[in-house]
Amino acid sequence: MKRHRVAELMDDPALGAAEHRHALAGLARLNRASASARLAWEPVKRVARAMRGGPVRVIDAACGAADGTIRLACAARK
């Protein structure tokens, strides 16, 4: 099967604010449906335990509205 690559619309500086918010909401729905934060939590938790109380930082790079990163932070607080 041949890949068909399409430019990411959210990176278009001409994209309107409403369309951008709509796209971010769609990403948030996909993240919830795929349980991406829950899947990422176990490796983050292992690193945190290995740090023995030291600071653990998670870098959010190109993660939409950071909903998954926020979910990780909430899990860490618990």
Side-chain angles (χ1 to χ4, degrees):
M1 178 183 350
K2 185 175 176 164
R3 274 177 69 175
H4 178 71
R5 298 183 77 174
V6 178
E8 174 60 60
L9 292 177
M10 285 181 46
D11 293 338
D12 184 347
L15 186 68
E19 289 112 336
H20 192 249
R21 283 191 301 274
H22 181 71
L24 290 175
L27 282 174
R29 282 192 303 277
L30 287 170
N31 288 340
R32 267 193 313 278
S34 68
S36 59
R38 188 178 66 215
L39 294 171
W41 172 240
E42 287 303 318
V44 170
K45 185 168 63 172
R46 279 195 300 274
V47 169
R49 286 185 174 149
M51 297 297 292
R52 300 179 185 258
V56 176
R57 292 178 178 84
V58 174
I59 297 173
D60 178 343
C63 293
D67 54 285
T69 310
I70 292 167
R71 281 188 170 80
L72 284 174
C74 291
R77 283 189 200 108
K78 290 178 184 176

